[in-house]
Each structure stands twice: as C-alpha cells, then as structure tokens.
Amino acid sequence: MILLIALIILVVIFFIKGIQIVQQQEVMIIERLGKFDRILDSGFHYIFPFLEVPRTIAWKEVTKGPDGGFYSYYLQKNRIDLRESVYDFPRQNVITKDNVSIAINALIYFQIMDPKSAVYQIQNLPEAIEKLTQTTLRNIIGELDLDETLVSRDTINAKLRTILDEASNKWGVKVNRVELQDIIPPTDIQSSMEKQMKAERDRRAAILEAEGLKKSAILKAEGEKESQINKAEGQKQAAILVAEGLAQARIKQAEAEAAAIQMTIDAIKDNGQPDKYLIAVRYLETLKQMVEGKDNKVVYMPYEATGILSSVDGIKQMLDANK
C-alpha cells in the first residue's frame, strides 16, 4: 500500500514537472537528451521530464541606477522574449577623425526573429550586440570630424543600423532602430564652440544691420529722387500756368488796346487825321516812360521833339474841332 502511494506521488510529480505554460510572445527551446528537439510557442505544453529539458540561456541585463550610472548583471533564463527589446548602452569615449575625444551613448531597438539561431549561434546575445555596437560606433565616428559628428546623427544612426543588422542577421536578430542619445565633447571644445556660435551670431547680426541700413539708404534716396521729380514737375506746371496767364493777360491787354484804338479812330475819323493822333499819343507815352525815374530827371530828349509838339498841337486842334 505504501509503495503504491509512493508510486502515485512520483507519477503526479512527474506529470506536474512536465507541464510547461508559455506566455504570449515567448518561446521555449526544448532539447531531448542534450540535442535540439523543438520550439514551444505560447500556450500549454507537456514535455517528458529527464528526457526533455528547456534550454537555459545566458542573458545580460543593463539597468540605470538612481545615480545615473549603468549597472549590468547576468541571469539564466529558459524563455525567449520575441517582443522588440530596447538596449541602453553605457556611455563610452570615442575619437573623431580630428582627434577629439567625445562621450557618446546609444539606444538599440532589436527583435529576435529566429529563436534557435539566437540561442545556438551566439553565447550571450545582448552582450554580443553591445560589443558589436561599440566597435562599429568607434569605426563610424573615427571617419568623421567633430563638426560632422554633431550634425550627422541621422546619417550615423542609419549607417550603424545597417551594419548591425547585417552582422546580427546570422544570430536571428533584426535591428529595427538605432538612436544616438548624447554626444558630449570635452569642456574646452564646448567653450570654443560656444564662442564660435556667438561670433557667428554677431556676424549675422552685423550683416542684417548692414543690409537694413543699405535698404534704408536706398529707400531714402528713392524718396528724395521722387520728391525732387515731383517738385520739378510742380515748378514746371506752375511756370506753364504763369506763362499761360501772362500770355492771356497780354492778349487781353492787346485786345483792350485794339478796342480803345478802334474807338478812338471811330471818334476822330471824321477829321481825317487819326494816324497823327495815334502817333502823337505814342510819343507822349514814350516820353512819360523816359522821364519816370528816381529823381524825375529827363536823361535825353528825342531828336525830333518838335514833331511831338506839333502832334500835340494837332490833337488840340482836332479836339477843338469836335466841340
């Protein structure tokens, strides 16, 4: 009876020990008598104890402590996570093409596509990816100057991802993305870069100020030019109007004189000597203009002054005849 109970207990233990429950997005490598047998997907499975055992995998984990430092540790596990994993590498020093030592760290997003290759083709997959990333990153940065390194993150990421994906393909791993987190130059280099940036900003400010002054001077000159043109145009129009006014005034004056002369002719035409009258009047007007001056002195007298006097006498006679 006791032997039977012991046998039943052993059977139960044997059965329970063979039960394996694999979670979603996980797989388990099963070996029979030390040789690969099959891969268990997510769900309920049963294996034969002692004959079949899950393959133990060495795995390196890296965590970031409260002080900001990175701490790595090794563990043994018998399940492989098929989800995309993020590996944060500790900061490392690399040397650029122009011999500047910079501190740089990266993030790698990778996913296991072939669990069998990830277990049997490499001893410790995370550590292998880390070392491969570090050496590849040194090679890439060593081909670039400091300035190129600081402005070529996307190029470095793409090149690093391509190289890692090709190298890790035989491990059954797909590298989906690589991101450089920090690129930290030495303190003296940072100071020089800040001075250079300040000088560049000052130069751009000076250029913008000079361009502004140039445009301002151009606009001012154009404004003065347009002002002078408008002023000249105004003076031209004013001169034209003055000339037109003077011309019209002289025309009106001439018309008035003509009308006055005509009226005079009509008034004295019966006496038959209107021409003598007009000549005498013109002589008198000319004589008046000659004697008008500052001291009202006659400068000279016409040679035929007697003709003027006779004309005046003729006018007197005509006026007496009309009475």
Side-chain angles (χ1 to χ4, degrees), residues 8-129:
I8 293 174
I9 294 174
L10 288 176
V11 171
V12 171
I13 294 174
F14 184 84
F15 180 77
I16 293 175
K17 189 174 180 61
I19 296 175
Q20 299 291 335
I21 298 177
V22 183
Q23 295 181 351
Q24 184 68 32
Q25 286 299 100
E26 286 186 352
V27 295
M28 182 180 293
I29 304 294
I30 301 299
E31 293 180 344
R32 175 175 292 181
L33 299 177
K35 183 180 179 181
F36 172 78
D37 183 69
R38 64 186 183 276
I39 298 176
L40 302 182
D41 296 325
S42 58
F44 176 83
H45 299 275
Y46 183 80
I47 63 175
F48 293 97
F50 306 111
L51 294 178
E52 299 176 344
V53 294
R55 172 62 184 259
T56 301
I57 306 168
W59 202 265
K60 181 182 179 181
E61 295 285 347
V62 177
T63 59
K64 193 172 183 179
D67 57 351
F70 289 86
Y71 301 92
S72 60
Y73 59 93
Y74 293 87
L75 54 85
Q76 300 289 328
K77 61 181 184 178
N78 56 13
R79 299 168 188 266
I80 300 175
D81 195 340
L82 299 181
R83 295 175 297 176
E84 188 173 16
S85 301
V86 182
Y87 202 92
D88 191 355
F89 295 101
R91 186 173 299 167
Q92 60 176 331
N93 293 325
V94 295
I95 300 176
T96 61
K97 185 178 180 181
D98 48 354
N99 295 324
V100 178
S101 178
I102 60 176
I104 190 170
N105 65 327
L107 280 175
I108 289 187
Y109 297 81
F110 67 93
Q111 189 173 8
I112 297 177
M113 309 302 294
D114 184 2
K116 182 179 178 181
S117 298
V119 172
Y120 291 104
Q121 295 296 328
I122 191 69
Q123 181 181 4
N124 191 310
L125 181 62
E127 186 174 15
I129 294 178

Side-chain angles (χ1 to χ4, degrees), residues 35 61 105 129 179 186 214-215 226 249 269 281 287 319:
K35 183 180 179 181
E61 295 285 347
N105 65 327
I129 294 178
E179 291 289 344
K214 176 183 176 181
K215 292 181 180 179
E226 292 179 0
K269 66 182 178 179
V281 171
L287 181 61
L319 294 176

